[in-house]
Amino acid sequence: MRKFDVIVVGTGPSGSRIAAGCSKQGLKVAAVDSRGYGGTCPLRGCIPKKVLTDAAEVVQHSVQMQGKGIGRTSNIEWKELMQFKRSFTEPVPEKQETSMQDAGVETFHGVATFVNDQEIMIGQETLFGKNVVIATGAKPMPLPIEGNEHLTTSDEFLDLDKLPSRILFVGGGYISFELAHVAAKAGCDVHILQRGDQPLKQFDKEMVQQLIEAMEETGVSVHLNTEVEEIKQEGSQYQVVTKKNGKKEIMPGDMVVHGGGRIPELEDLQLENGNVAYEKAGITVNKYLQSTTNSHVYAAGDAADTEGAPLTPVAGIEARVVIENIVNGNRDEADYTGVPSVVFTMPKVASAGITEEEAEKNGYDIESKFTDMKDWFTYAHKNESRAAVKIITDKKTGRLLGAHMISSKADELINFFAMAIQLQLSTEEIKKLTLVFPTAISDIPTML
């Protein structure tokens, strides 16, 4: 049996950093993945999605500028776009594995399962780990819908060679809104079916409402309070049985996409053999990201049940914590203050810090300032119909607590607000900054 100081299961944003980081500290490290090295973000998530959403943004900008100096709209050539996307994704597994090997990590391929508290089996080989890190990421959540075998996952959507004419997205989260936006700009008839009355629940309600209106204007139909009960296949088409306000309706589609959320990918690990407790949200960990039932095990990223959102930056935060605690003993804790998040539609919706509801729940005496920015030069000169910001501050200290935005620049601007929240800056301190004009960031003092 081969022995290691650390065995890392999963090679996404958290797993790869933990493996390389521990190895650079002189520990003997093994990494294993059942699929190509790199994980969801660079292979099946953020990176390929961003290639597609940026192409959709180009089309949107050309539409907005009709009659304003631009004489012809752009269009998406799907096959060419997918070839371009693959130029970013296909090299990743080999590059990622080589990078880890260069860092001194020994790499393995296959499904990892626990034999006992410290032993992991990969195929016919068993490895012993002084520490084991679970960083296996997430997978689409099973949906209680009859005929759910007909659902297309986001992984599959991001690798389509051809788009169908009419697409139905089940669920109103990131995946549905972002991919629906892309499909609509590629010329598809697109529908989002949201069971409740509030999609994108982690974002500010006013910004989400503006996004829904913007999506509707650009051809995406958002159906709220619409529950999917069954998916039937009839030839090459699907019939989706929905219920809204007690009334059933059948909606036809050429493809039905799973956008109903994701859960930790843990089922192959046989965690019971390793005495590793877990819940629906992931492996149960303490403040040091260590398993509460097996002190040899740590977890990070989407596989861990923590306060952190399922985002790549959070995986990075937790990776740093795990490295520190394995190398130097448990002393570091994850800080999720001000972590920014973005929906890459057009316009984009972004958030950092707390919402009004969270502020009131936590007993803050807040000032909430909403500003409609669509007539500001930053957005008016590109003929954009929606741009707004909501700033939440602590009345006592003037400290920035939250920022919520919708605009074409929201993805970049929110990083500035996230930094200000994390550094505990007051609005008066931010206003003293000198910024390049005319840029979107130069608008920040006026937003406060």
Side-chain angles (χ1 to χ4, degrees):
M1 182 186 301
R2 302 182 61 190
K3 297 184 178 182
F4 294 87
D5 294 309
V6 185
I7 300 172
V8 180
V9 184
T11 60
S14 59
S16 59
R17 292 184 189 185
I18 292 167
C22 287
S23 181
K24 289 176 181 177
Q25 292 296 318
L27 301 183
K28 186 177 181 182
V29 181
V32 57
D33 207 311
S34 61
R35 291 187 280 186
Y37 274 49
T40 298
C41 181
L43 296 175
R44 304 174 292 276
C46 331
I47 298 302
K49 174 200 72 179
K50 192 65 164 61
V51 175
L52 271 57
T53 57
D54 276 5
E57 185 172 341
V58 170
V59 173
Q60 178 68 18
H61 279 310
S62 71
V63 171
Q64 289 170 185
M65 291 300 290
Q66 290 297 292
K68 307 294 181 182
I70 301 297
R72 184 173 61 182
T73 59
S74 302
N75 63 286
I76 290 177
E77 297 290 345
W78 186 259
K79 186 174 181 180
E80 292 179 7
L81 179 59
M82 294 303 287
Q83 289 174 342
F84 184 53
K85 183 269 299 186
R86 291 177 182 128
S87 72
F88 293 95
T89 58
E90 289 179 351
V92 169
E94 183 178 351
K95 285 184 177 180
Q96 184 67 39
E97 186 169 4
T98 299
S99 175
M100 293 175 72
Q101 290 170 347
D102 290 343
V105 177
E106 190 161 348
T107 58
F108 295 83
H109 294 266
V111 175
T113 58
F114 276 89
V115 177
N116 55 43
D117 284 14
Q118 293 180 268
E119 293 180 13
I120 296 290
M121 179 174 286
I122 307 164
Q124 299 301 312
E125 187 169 11
T126 301
L127 308 180
F128 174 89
K130 183 179 178 181
N131 297 284
V132 178
V133 178
I134 306 302
T136 46
K139 66 174 186 176
M141 177 189 300
L143 299 180
I145 298 172
E146 187 176 347
N148 60 17
E149 69 273 13
H150 300 307
L151 288 166
T152 296
T153 66
S154 58
D155 293 10
E156 294 166 334
F157 182 96
L158 289 169
D159 207 31
L160 290 172
D161 289 319
K162 183 180 179 181
L163 278 182
S165 298
R166 182 180 168 93
I167 306 176
L168 309 179
F169 288 86
V170 179
Y174 287 87
I175 292 171
S176 289
F177 272 80
E178 291 173 341
L179 298 186
H181 167 61
V182 171
K185 290 305 169 189
C188 303
D189 178 13
V190 183
H191 299 258
I192 295 175
L193 312 178
Q194 161 67 15
R195 183 173 58 181
D197 60 358
Q198 175 65 45
L200 299 168
K201 291 182 179 179
Q202 60 272 62
F203 292 88
D204 179 85
K205 291 181 180 179
E206 289 182 74
M207 304 304 162
V208 172
Q209 181 57 40
Q210 288 208 38
L211 176 61
I212 292 172
E213 293 169 4
M215 296 280 279
E216 293 269 5
E217 289 172 4
T218 56
V220 177
S221 297
V222 181
H223 305 264
L224 303 179
N225 299 306
T226 302
E227 184 176 0
V228 175
E229 294 189 331
E230 185 179 0
I231 304 170
K232 303 176 182 179
Q233 184 173 12
E234 295 185 4
S236 60
Q237 198 174 62
Y238 299 96
Q239 302 292 326
V240 178
V241 181
T242 66
K243 184 170 70 174
K244 181 175 183 178
N245 299 325
K247 183 179 179 182
K248 289 193 177 184
E249 181 183 354
I250 296 178
M251 301 182 67
D254 302 304
M255 177 179 288
V256 187
V257 179
H258 186 312
R262 296 168 70 84
I263 59 172
E265 191 163 5
L266 303 173
E267 69 280 358
D268 291 334
L269 291 166
Q270 296 183 25
L271 294 172
E272 293 82 0
N273 294 343
N275 189 32
V276 179
Y278 65 97
E279 298 291 341
K280 182 179 179 180
I283 292 174
T284 307
V285 295
N286 59 24
K287 62 184 180 180
Y288 304 114
L289 301 183
Q290 180 184 47
S291 167
T292 56
T293 53
N294 181 347
S295 61
H296 302 289
V297 171
Y298 290 81
D302 294 356
D305 183 2
T306 70
E307 295 177 8
L311 302 168
T312 297
V314 169
I317 291 170
E318 294 179 351
R320 292 193 296 272
V321 170
V322 170
I323 293 169
E324 177 66 24
N325 291 338
I326 288 177
V327 173
N328 297 311
N330 288 349
R331 64 185 190 184
D332 200 7
E333 302 175 28
D335 182 0
Y336 305 108
T337 302
V339 172
S341 184
V342 177
V343 184
F344 288 96
T345 47
M346 184 62 185
K348 306 176 184 78
V349 169
S351 176
I354 60 178
T355 63
E356 290 172 305
E357 292 80 9
E358 290 168 336
E360 292 169 5
K361 181 179 179 181
N362 292 325
Y364 285 104
D365 184 12
I366 65 167
E367 179 180 351
S368 179
K369 179 182 178 182
F370 176 89
T371 305
D372 188 332
M373 305 184 294
K374 68 177 182 296
D375 294 328
W376 293 12
F377 176 76
T378 300
Y379 308 101
H381 84 280
K382 292 196 288 186
N383 202 33
E384 297 183 18
S385 61
R386 282 177 176 78
V389 63
K390 180 183 290 183
I391 302 297
I392 299 170
T393 55
D394 187 329
K395 281 186 179 179
K396 294 180 181 178
T397 64
R399 186 160 57 89
L400 186 66
L401 298 177
H404 309 279
M405 312 184 70
I406 181 169
S407 78
S408 62
K409 302 292 186 179
D411 54 336
E412 299 296 340
L413 286 170
I414 203 64
N415 287 316
F416 184 94
F417 287 109
M419 178 183 68
I421 293 168
Q422 291 164 28
L423 295 178
Q424 300 185 15
L425 299 181
S426 69
T427 55
E428 290 306 312
E429 289 172 318
I430 298 169
K431 287 178 180 179
K432 293 177 183 179
L433 295 174
T434 302
L435 305 166
V436 173
F437 180 85
T439 62
I441 200 169
S442 68
D443 293 332
I444 286 176
T446 312
M447 298 178 194
L448 301 175

